[in-house]
Amino acid sequence: MSSSAEAERGGAKKQSWPEVVGLSVEEAKKVILKDKPDADIFVLPVGSPVTRDFRPNRVRIFVDTVAETPRVG
């Protein structure tokens, strides 16, 4: 049984969200918070150093896309 099916039936809690890859950060947050309302979401650049401690409410979203043209000023 898939983890999402188990989560829907009250079984094991969902621990990853591959379906949000390619979505905006705000859209991804909505999906994650729908499944895990108590999630403490952190948005970080890809490759950021992170601690290895386990926190059951922490969800990290790693992003690497430049959304607008960088400008001086």
Side-chain angles (χ1 to χ4, degrees):
M1 180 181 294
S2 73
S3 62
S4 61
E6 290 174 13
E8 288 173 17
R9 296 189 332 153
K13 300 277 185 180
K14 192 165 182 182
Q15 295 190 7
S16 66
W17 292 264
E19 68 273 20
V20 305
V21 173
L23 298 181
S24 72
V25 170
E26 291 307 313
E27 291 171 327
K29 284 182 179 182
K30 286 179 187 176
V31 171
I32 294 165
L33 289 170
K34 187 176 180 183
D35 291 333
K36 188 172 183 58
D38 63 338
D40 190 11
I41 299 175
F42 293 86
V43 180
L44 303 163
V46 169
S48 294
V50 296
T51 60
R52 295 185 55 110
D53 61 316
F54 180 78
R55 289 181 36 206
N57 292 338
R58 178 175 55 208
V59 177
R60 294 178 176 131
I61 298 175
F62 293 95
V63 296
D64 70 351
T65 303
V66 177
E68 293 185 15
T69 303
R71 301 171 199 252
V72 173

